[in-house]
Coordinates of all heavy atoms in Angstrom, one line a residue:
M1 N 0.8 -1.2 0.0 CA 0.0 0.0 0.0 C 0.9 1.3 0.0 O 0.6 2.2 -0.8 CB -0.9 0.0 1.2 CG -1.9 1.1 1.2 SD -3.2 0.8 2.4 CE -3.4 2.3 3.0
F2 N 1.9 1.3 0.8 CA 2.8 2.4 0.9 C 3.6 2.5 -0.4 O 3.9 3.6 -0.9 CB 3.7 2.3 2.1 CG 4.6 3.5 2.3 CD1 4.1 4.7 2.7 CD2 5.9 3.4 2.1 CE1 4.9 5.8 2.9 CE2 6.8 4.5 2.2 CZ 6.2 5.7 2.7
K3 N 3.9 1.4 -1.0 CA 4.7 1.4 -2.2 C 3.9 2.0 -3.3 O 4.4 2.7 -4.2 CB 5.1 -0.1 -2.5 CG 6.1 -0.2 -3.5 CD 6.6 -1.6 -3.7 CE 7.8 -1.7 -4.6 NZ 8.3 -3.1 -4.7
D4 N 2.6 1.7 -3.4 CA 1.7 2.2 -4.4 C 1.6 3.7 -4.3 O 1.6 4.5 -5.2 CB 0.3 1.6 -4.4 CG 0.4 0.1 -4.8 OD1 1.3 -0.3 -5.6 OD2 -0.5 -0.6 -4.3
F5 N 1.5 4.2 -3.0 CA 1.4 5.6 -2.7 C 2.6 6.3 -3.2 O 2.6 7.4 -3.8 CB 1.2 5.8 -1.2 CG 1.2 7.3 -0.8 CD1 0.2 8.1 -1.1 CD2 2.3 7.8 -0.2 CE1 0.2 9.4 -0.8 CE2 2.4 9.1 0.2 CZ 1.3 9.9 -0.1
I6 N 3.8 5.7 -3.0 CA 5.1 6.3 -3.4 C 5.1 6.4 -4.9 O 5.6 7.4 -5.5 CB 6.3 5.6 -2.8 CG1 6.3 5.7 -1.3 CG2 7.6 6.0 -3.4 CD1 6.5 7.1 -0.8
K7 N 4.7 5.4 -5.6 CA 4.7 5.4 -7.1 C 3.8 6.4 -7.6 O 4.2 7.1 -8.6 CB 4.3 4.0 -7.6 CG 5.3 2.9 -7.5 CD 4.8 1.6 -8.1 CE 5.9 0.5 -8.0 NZ 5.4 -0.7 -8.6
K8 N 2.6 6.6 -7.1 CA 1.7 7.6 -7.5 C 2.3 9.0 -7.3 O 2.2 9.9 -8.1 CB 0.3 7.5 -6.9 CG -0.5 6.3 -7.4 CD -1.8 6.2 -6.7 CE -2.6 5.0 -7.1 NZ -3.9 4.9 -6.4
L9 N 2.8 9.2 -6.1 CA 3.4 10.5 -5.7 C 4.6 10.8 -6.7 O 4.7 11.9 -7.1 CB 3.9 10.4 -4.3 CG 4.4 11.7 -3.7 CD1 3.4 12.8 -3.7 CD2 5.0 11.5 -2.3
Y10 N 5.4 9.8 -6.9 CA 6.6 10.0 -7.8 C 6.1 10.4 -9.2 O 6.6 11.3 -9.9 CB 7.5 8.8 -7.9 CG 8.6 8.9 -8.9 CD1 9.7 9.8 -8.7 CD2 8.5 8.2 -10.1 CE1 10.7 9.9 -9.6 CE2 9.5 8.3 -11.0 CZ 10.6 9.2 -10.8 OH 11.6 9.3 -11.7
S11 N 5.0 9.7 -9.7 CA 4.5 10.0 -11.0 C 4.0 11.4 -11.1 O 4.2 12.2 -12.1 CB 3.4 9.0 -11.3 OG 2.8 9.3 -12.6
K12 N 3.2 11.9 -10.1 CA 2.7 13.2 -10.1 C 3.8 14.3 -10.0 O 3.8 15.3 -10.6 CB 1.7 13.4 -9.0 CG 0.4 12.7 -9.3 CD -0.6 12.9 -8.2 CE -1.9 12.1 -8.5 NZ -2.9 12.3 -7.4
M13 N 4.8 14.0 -9.1 CA 5.9 14.9 -8.9 C 6.8 15.0 -10.2 O 7.2 16.1 -10.5 CB 6.8 14.5 -7.7 CG 6.2 14.8 -6.4 SD 7.2 14.3 -5.0 CE 8.7 15.1 -5.4
K14 N 6.9 13.9 -10.9 CA 7.7 14.0 -12.1 C 7.1 14.9 -13.1 O 7.8 15.7 -13.7 CB 7.9 12.5 -12.7 CG 8.8 12.4 -13.9 CD 9.0 11.0 -14.3 CE 7.7 10.3 -14.7 NZ 7.9 9.0 -15.3
T15 N 5.8 14.8 -13.3 CA 5.2 15.7 -14.2 C 5.2 17.2 -13.8 O 5.5 18.1 -14.5 CB 3.7 15.3 -14.4 OG1 3.6 13.9 -14.7 CG2 3.0 16.2 -15.4
T16 N 5.0 17.4 -12.5 CA 5.0 18.8 -11.9 C 6.4 19.4 -12.0 O 6.6 20.5 -12.4 CB 4.6 18.7 -10.5 OG1 3.3 18.1 -10.4 CG2 4.5 20.1 -9.9
V17 N 7.4 18.6 -11.7 CA 8.8 19.1 -11.8 C 9.2 19.4 -13.2 O 9.8 20.4 -13.5 CB 9.8 18.1 -11.1 CG1 11.2 18.5 -11.4 CG2 9.5 18.1 -9.6
T18 N 8.8 18.6 -14.1 CA 9.1 18.8 -15.5 C 8.5 20.0 -16.1 O 9.1 20.9 -16.7 CB 8.7 17.6 -16.4 OG1 9.3 16.4 -15.9 CG2 9.1 17.7 -17.8
V19 N 7.2 20.2 -15.8 CA 6.5 21.4 -16.2 C 7.1 22.7 -15.6 O 7.3 23.7 -16.3 CB 5.0 21.3 -15.9 CG1 4.3 22.6 -16.2 CG2 4.4 20.2 -16.8
T20 N 7.4 22.6 -14.3 CA 8.0 23.8 -13.7 C 9.3 24.1 -14.2 O 9.7 25.3 -14.5 CB 8.1 23.5 -12.2 OG1 6.8 23.1 -11.6 CG2 8.6 24.7 -11.4
A21 N 10.2 23.1 -14.5 CA 11.5 23.3 -15.0 C 11.4 23.9 -16.4 O 12.2 24.9 -16.8 CB 12.3 22.0 -15.1
V22 N 10.5 23.4 -17.3 CA 10.4 23.9 -18.6 C 9.9 25.4 -18.6 O 10.3 26.2 -19.4 CB 9.6 23.0 -19.5 CG1 9.2 23.6 -20.8 CG2 10.3 21.7 -19.7
S23 N 8.9 25.6 -17.8 CA 8.3 27.0 -17.8 C 9.1 28.0 -17.1 O 8.9 29.2 -17.3 CB 6.9 26.9 -17.2 OG 7.0 26.6 -15.8
S24 N 10.1 27.6 -16.3 CA 10.9 28.6 -15.6 C 12.2 29.0 -16.4 O 12.9 29.9 -16.0 CB 11.3 28.1 -14.3 OG 12.2 26.9 -14.4
V25 N 12.4 28.3 -17.5 CA 13.6 28.7 -18.3 C 13.2 29.8 -19.3 O 12.4 29.6 -20.2 CB 14.1 27.4 -19.1 CG1 15.3 27.8 -20.0 CG2 14.5 26.3 -18.2
P26 N 13.8 31.0 -19.1 CA 13.4 32.1 -20.0 C 13.7 32.0 -21.4 O 13.1 32.5 -22.3 CB 14.1 33.3 -19.3 CG 15.2 32.7 -18.5 CD 14.8 31.4 -18.1
A27 N 14.8 31.2 -21.7 CA 15.2 31.1 -23.1 C 14.2 30.3 -24.0 O 14.1 30.5 -25.2 CB 16.5 30.3 -23.2
V28 N 13.3 29.5 -23.3 CA 12.3 28.8 -24.1 C 11.3 29.7 -24.6 O 10.7 29.5 -25.7 CB 11.7 27.7 -23.1 CG1 10.6 27.0 -23.8 CG2 12.8 26.7 -22.7
A29 N 11.0 30.8 -23.9 CA 9.9 31.7 -24.2 C 10.4 32.8 -25.2 O 9.5 33.5 -25.8 CB 9.3 32.3 -23.0
M30 N 11.6 32.9 -25.5 CA 12.1 33.9 -26.4 C 12.1 33.4 -27.8 O 12.5 32.3 -28.1 CB 13.5 34.3 -25.9 CG 13.6 34.9 -24.6 SD 15.2 34.9 -23.9 CE 15.7 36.6 -24.3
A31 N 11.7 34.3 -28.7 CA 11.7 33.9 -30.1 C 12.0 35.2 -30.9 O 11.7 36.3 -30.5 CB 10.4 33.3 -30.5
A32 N 12.5 35.0 -32.1 CA 12.7 36.1 -33.0 C 11.4 36.5 -33.7 O 10.6 35.6 -34.0 CB 13.7 35.7 -34.1
D33 N 11.2 37.8 -33.8 CA 10.0 38.3 -34.5 C 10.2 38.3 -36.0 O 10.9 39.1 -36.5 CB 9.7 39.7 -34.0 CG 8.4 40.2 -34.5 OD1 7.6 39.5 -35.1 OD2 8.0 41.4 -34.2
L34 N 9.6 37.3 -36.6 CA 9.8 37.1 -38.0 C 9.1 38.1 -38.9 O 9.4 38.3 -40.0 CB 9.5 35.7 -38.5 CG 10.3 34.5 -37.8 CD1 9.7 33.2 -38.2 CD2 11.7 34.7 -38.1
A35 N 8.0 38.7 -38.3 CA 7.2 39.7 -39.1 C 7.6 41.1 -38.8 O 6.9 42.0 -39.2 CB 5.7 39.4 -38.7
A36 N 8.7 41.3 -38.1 CA 9.1 42.7 -37.7 C 9.3 43.6 -38.9 O 9.0 44.8 -39.0 CB 10.3 42.7 -36.8
G37 N 9.9 43.0 -40.0 CA 10.2 43.8 -41.2 C 8.9 44.1 -42.0 O 9.0 45.1 -42.8
A38 N 7.8 43.4 -41.7 CA 6.6 43.7 -42.5 C 5.7 44.8 -41.9 O 4.7 45.1 -42.5 CB 5.8 42.4 -42.6
K39 N 6.1 45.3 -40.8 CA 5.2 46.3 -40.1 C 5.0 47.5 -41.0 O 3.9 48.1 -41.1 CB 5.8 46.7 -38.7 CG 5.6 45.6 -37.7 CD 6.2 46.0 -36.3 CE 6.1 44.9 -35.3 NZ 6.6 45.3 -34.0
Q40 N 6.1 48.0 -41.6 CA 6.0 49.2 -42.4 C 5.2 48.9 -43.6 O 4.4 49.8 -44.1 CB 7.4 49.7 -42.8 CG 7.4 51.1 -43.4 CD 6.8 52.2 -42.5 OE1 6.9 52.2 -41.3 NE2 6.0 53.0 -43.1
D41 N 5.3 47.7 -44.2 CA 4.5 47.4 -45.4 C 3.0 47.4 -45.0 O 2.2 47.8 -45.8 CB 4.9 46.0 -45.9 CG 6.3 46.0 -46.5 OD1 6.8 47.1 -46.9 OD2 6.9 44.9 -46.6
V42 N 2.7 46.9 -43.9 CA 1.3 46.8 -43.5 C 0.8 48.2 -43.2 O -0.4 48.6 -43.6 CB 1.1 46.0 -42.2 CG1 -0.3 46.1 -41.6 CG2 1.4 44.5 -42.5
K43 N 1.6 49.1 -42.6 CA 1.1 50.5 -42.4 C 1.0 51.2 -43.7 O 0.0 52.0 -43.9 CB 2.2 51.2 -41.5 CG 2.1 50.8 -40.1 CD 3.2 51.6 -39.3 CE 3.2 51.1 -37.8 NZ 4.2 51.8 -37.0
D44 N 1.8 51.0 -44.7 CA 1.7 51.6 -46.0 C 0.5 51.1 -46.7 O -0.2 51.9 -47.4 CB 3.0 51.3 -46.8 CG 4.2 52.0 -46.3 OD1 4.0 53.0 -45.5 OD2 5.3 51.6 -46.6
T45 N 0.2 49.8 -46.6 CA -0.9 49.3 -47.3 C -2.3 49.6 -46.7 O -3.3 49.9 -47.4 CB -0.8 47.7 -47.4 OG1 0.5 47.5 -48.0 CG2 -1.9 47.1 -48.3
L46 N -2.4 49.5 -45.4 CA -3.7 49.6 -44.7 C -3.7 50.8 -43.8 O -4.8 51.0 -43.1 CB -3.9 48.4 -43.8 CG -4.0 47.0 -44.6 CD1 -4.1 45.9 -43.7 CD2 -5.1 47.0 -45.6
G47 N -2.7 51.7 -43.8 CA -2.7 52.8 -42.9 C -3.6 53.9 -43.4 O -4.2 53.9 -44.5
V48 N -3.7 55.0 -42.6 CA -4.5 56.1 -42.9 C -4.0 56.8 -44.2 O -2.8 57.0 -44.3 CB -4.6 57.2 -41.7 CG1 -5.3 58.4 -42.1 CG2 -5.1 56.5 -40.5
G49 N -4.9 57.1 -45.1 CA -4.5 57.7 -46.3 C -4.3 56.8 -47.5 O -4.0 57.2 -48.6
S50 N -4.3 55.5 -47.2 CA -4.0 54.5 -48.3 C -5.3 54.2 -49.0 O -6.4 54.6 -48.6 CB -3.5 53.2 -47.7 OG -4.5 52.6 -46.9
T51 N -5.2 53.5 -50.1 CA -6.3 53.2 -50.9 C -7.3 52.3 -50.2 O -8.5 52.4 -50.3 CB -5.9 52.5 -52.2 OG1 -4.9 53.3 -52.9 CG2 -7.0 52.2 -53.1
A52 N -6.8 51.3 -49.4 CA -7.6 50.4 -48.6 C -8.4 51.2 -47.6 O -9.6 50.9 -47.4 CB -6.8 49.4 -48.0
W53 N -7.8 52.2 -47.0 CA -8.5 53.0 -46.0 C -9.7 53.8 -46.7 O -10.8 53.9 -46.1 CB -7.5 54.0 -45.3 CG -8.1 54.8 -44.2 CD1 -8.6 56.1 -44.3 CD2 -8.3 54.4 -42.9 NE1 -9.0 56.5 -43.1 CE2 -8.9 55.4 -42.2 CE3 -8.1 53.2 -42.2 CZ2 -9.2 55.4 -40.9 CZ3 -8.4 53.1 -40.9 CH2 -9.0 54.2 -40.2
T54 N -9.4 54.4 -47.8 CA -10.4 55.1 -48.6 C -11.6 54.2 -49.0 O -12.7 54.6 -48.8 CB -9.8 55.8 -49.8 OG1 -8.7 56.6 -49.4 CG2 -10.8 56.7 -50.5
I55 N -11.3 53.0 -49.5 CA -12.3 52.1 -49.9 C -13.1 51.7 -48.6 O -14.4 51.6 -48.7 CB -11.7 50.8 -50.5 CG1 -11.1 51.2 -51.9 CG2 -12.7 49.7 -50.7 CD1 -10.3 50.2 -52.5
L56 N -12.5 51.5 -47.5 CA -13.2 51.2 -46.3 C -14.2 52.3 -45.9 O -15.4 52.0 -45.5 CB -12.3 50.9 -45.1 CG -12.9 50.5 -43.8 CD1 -13.6 49.2 -43.9 CD2 -11.8 50.4 -42.7
L57 N -13.8 53.5 -46.0 CA -14.7 54.6 -45.6 C -15.8 54.7 -46.6 O -17.0 55.0 -46.2 CB -13.9 55.9 -45.6 CG -12.9 56.1 -44.5 CD1 -12.1 57.4 -44.7 CD2 -13.5 56.1 -43.2
V58 N -15.6 54.5 -47.9 CA -16.7 54.6 -48.9 C -17.7 53.5 -48.6 O -18.9 53.7 -48.6 CB -16.1 54.5 -50.3 CG1 -17.2 54.3 -51.3 CG2 -15.3 55.8 -50.6
L59 N -17.2 52.3 -48.3 CA -18.1 51.1 -48.0 C -18.9 51.4 -46.7 O -20.1 51.0 -46.6 CB -17.3 49.8 -47.8 CG -16.7 49.3 -49.1 CD1 -15.9 48.1 -48.9 CD2 -17.8 48.9 -50.1
E60 N -18.3 52.0 -45.7 CA -19.0 52.4 -44.5 C -20.2 53.4 -44.8 O -21.3 53.3 -44.3 CB -18.1 52.9 -43.4 CG -17.2 51.9 -42.8 CD -16.3 52.5 -41.8 OE1 -16.2 53.7 -41.6 OE2 -15.6 51.7 -41.1
I61 N -19.9 54.4 -45.6 CA -20.9 55.4 -46.0 C -22.0 54.7 -46.8 O -23.2 55.0 -46.5 CB -20.2 56.5 -46.8 CG1 -19.3 57.3 -45.8 CG2 -21.3 57.4 -47.4 CD1 -18.4 58.3 -46.5
L62 N -21.7 53.9 -47.7 CA -22.7 53.1 -48.5 C -23.5 52.3 -47.6 O -24.8 52.2 -47.8 CB -22.0 52.3 -49.6 CG -21.4 53.1 -50.8 CD1 -20.7 52.2 -51.7 CD2 -22.5 54.0 -51.5
A63 N -22.9 51.6 -46.6 CA -23.7 50.8 -45.7 C -24.6 51.6 -44.8 O -25.8 51.2 -44.6 CB -22.7 50.0 -44.8
A64 N -24.2 52.8 -44.4 CA -25.0 53.7 -43.7 C -26.2 54.2 -44.5 O -27.4 54.2 -44.0 CB -24.2 54.9 -43.1
V65 N -26.0 54.5 -45.7 CA -27.1 54.9 -46.6 C -28.1 53.8 -46.8 O -29.3 54.0 -46.7 CB -26.5 55.4 -48.0 CG1 -27.6 55.6 -49.0 CG2 -25.7 56.7 -47.8
F66 N -27.6 52.6 -47.1 CA -28.5 51.5 -47.2 C -29.3 51.2 -46.0 O -30.5 51.0 -46.0 CB -27.6 50.2 -47.6 CG -28.4 49.0 -47.7 CD1 -29.2 48.7 -48.8 CD2 -28.4 48.0 -46.7 CE1 -30.0 47.6 -48.8 CE2 -29.1 46.9 -46.7 CZ -29.9 46.6 -47.8
M67 N -28.6 51.3 -44.8 CA -29.3 51.0 -43.6 C -30.3 52.1 -43.3 O -31.4 51.8 -42.7 CB -28.3 50.8 -42.4 CG -27.6 49.5 -42.5 SD -26.2 49.3 -41.4 CE -27.0 49.6 -39.8
Y68 N -30.0 53.3 -43.6 CA -31.0 54.4 -43.4 C -32.2 54.2 -44.3 O -33.4 54.4 -43.9 CB -30.4 55.8 -43.8 CG -31.4 56.9 -43.8 CD1 -32.0 57.3 -42.7 CD2 -31.8 57.4 -45.0 CE1 -33.0 58.3 -42.7 CE2 -32.8 58.4 -45.1 CZ -33.4 58.8 -43.9 OH -34.3 59.8 -44.0
I69 N -32.0 53.8 -45.5 CA -33.1 53.6 -46.4 C -34.0 52.4 -45.9 O -35.2 52.5 -45.9 CB -32.6 53.2 -47.8 CG1 -32.0 54.4 -48.5 CG2 -33.7 52.7 -48.7 CD1 -31.3 54.2 -49.8
K70 N -33.4 51.4 -45.3 CA -34.2 50.3 -44.7 C -34.9 50.7 -43.4 O -36.0 50.2 -43.2 CB -33.3 49.1 -44.5 CG -32.8 48.4 -45.7 CD -34.0 47.8 -46.4 CE -33.6 46.7 -47.4 NZ -34.8 46.2 -48.1
T71 N -34.3 51.5 -42.6 CA -34.8 51.7 -41.2 C -35.4 53.1 -41.1 O -36.2 53.3 -40.1 CB -33.8 51.5 -40.2 OG1 -32.7 52.5 -40.3 CG2 -33.2 50.1 -40.2
K72 N -35.1 54.1 -41.9 CA -35.5 55.5 -41.8 C -35.1 56.0 -40.5 O -35.8 56.8 -39.8 CB -37.0 55.6 -42.0 CG -37.5 55.1 -43.3 CD -37.1 55.9 -44.4 CE -37.8 55.4 -45.7 NZ -37.0 55.6 -46.9
N73 N -33.9 55.7 -40.0 CA -33.3 56.2 -38.7 C -32.1 57.0 -39.0 O -31.1 56.6 -39.4 CB -33.0 54.9 -37.9 CG -32.6 55.3 -36.5 OD1 -32.5 56.5 -36.1 ND2 -32.3 54.3 -35.6
L74 N -32.2 58.3 -38.7 CA -31.1 59.3 -38.9 C -29.9 59.0 -38.0 O -28.8 59.5 -38.2 CB -31.6 60.7 -38.8 CG -32.5 61.2 -39.9 CD1 -33.0 62.6 -39.6 CD2 -31.6 61.2 -41.2
A75 N -30.1 58.3 -36.9 CA -29.0 58.1 -36.0 C -27.9 57.3 -36.6 O -26.7 57.3 -36.2 CB -29.5 57.3 -34.7
L76 N -28.2 56.5 -37.7 CA -27.2 55.8 -38.4 C -26.1 56.7 -39.0 O -24.9 56.4 -39.0 CB -27.8 55.0 -39.5 CG -28.7 53.8 -39.0 CD1 -29.4 53.2 -40.2 CD2 -27.9 52.8 -38.4
F77 N -26.5 57.9 -39.5 CA -25.5 58.8 -40.0 C -24.6 59.4 -38.9 O -23.5 59.6 -39.1 CB -26.2 59.9 -40.8 CG -26.8 59.5 -42.0 CD1 -28.2 59.5 -42.3 CD2 -26.0 59.0 -43.0 CE1 -28.7 59.1 -43.4 CE2 -26.6 58.5 -44.2 CZ -27.9 58.6 -44.4
G78 N -25.2 59.6 -37.7 CA -24.3 60.0 -36.6 C -23.3 59.0 -36.2 O -22.1 59.3 -35.9
G79 N -23.6 57.7 -36.3 CA -22.7 56.6 -36.1 C -21.5 56.6 -37.1 O -20.4 56.4 -36.8
I80 N -21.9 56.8 -38.4 CA -20.9 56.9 -39.4 C -20.0 58.1 -39.2 O -18.7 58.0 -39.4 CB -21.5 56.9 -40.8 CG1 -22.1 55.5 -41.1 CG2 -20.6 57.3 -41.9 CD1 -21.1 54.4 -41.2
I81 N -20.5 59.2 -38.9 CA -19.7 60.4 -38.6 C -18.7 60.2 -37.5 O -17.5 60.5 -37.5 CB -20.6 61.7 -38.4 CG1 -21.3 62.0 -39.7 CG2 -19.7 62.8 -37.9 CD1 -22.3 63.1 -39.5
A82 N -19.2 59.5 -36.4 CA -18.3 59.2 -35.3 C -17.2 58.2 -35.7 O -16.1 58.3 -35.3 CB -19.2 58.6 -34.2
L83 N -17.5 57.3 -36.6 CA -16.5 56.3 -37.0 C -15.4 57.0 -37.9 O -14.2 56.8 -37.8 CB -17.1 55.2 -37.8 CG -17.8 54.1 -37.0 CD1 -18.5 53.1 -38.0 CD2 -16.8 53.4 -36.2
I84 N -15.9 57.9 -38.8 CA -15.0 58.6 -39.7 C -14.1 59.6 -39.0 O -12.9 59.7 -39.3 CB -15.7 59.2 -40.9 CG1 -16.4 58.1 -41.7 CG2 -14.9 60.1 -41.7 CD1 -17.3 58.7 -42.8
C85 N -14.6 60.2 -38.0 CA -13.8 61.3 -37.3 C -12.8 60.7 -36.3 O -12.1 61.5 -35.7 CB -14.8 62.3 -36.6 SG -15.8 63.2 -37.8
Q86 N -12.8 59.5 -36.1 CA -11.8 59.0 -35.1 C -10.4 59.1 -35.5 O -10.0 59.0 -36.6 CB -12.1 57.5 -34.8 CG -13.2 57.3 -33.9 CD -13.4 55.8 -33.6 OE1 -12.8 54.9 -34.2 NE2 -14.2 55.5 -32.6

């Protein structure tokens, strides 16, 4: 009975010690940022003033007009103005 208890305890401790040892090593959590060079490309493509930004604003305005026609609620235009002015 005591022998079984020791085996179970050892099995649980082995897992716990392994997980603790692996998670406490800081080198394991460090990695190189492979996408660091692409940040400027993303800002140029999707940033303020880009073509994608302009298309997004036009689509938002068209969606507001469509929703106003469907609901006859002028508050939708206030929401669009709030989105555009951010």
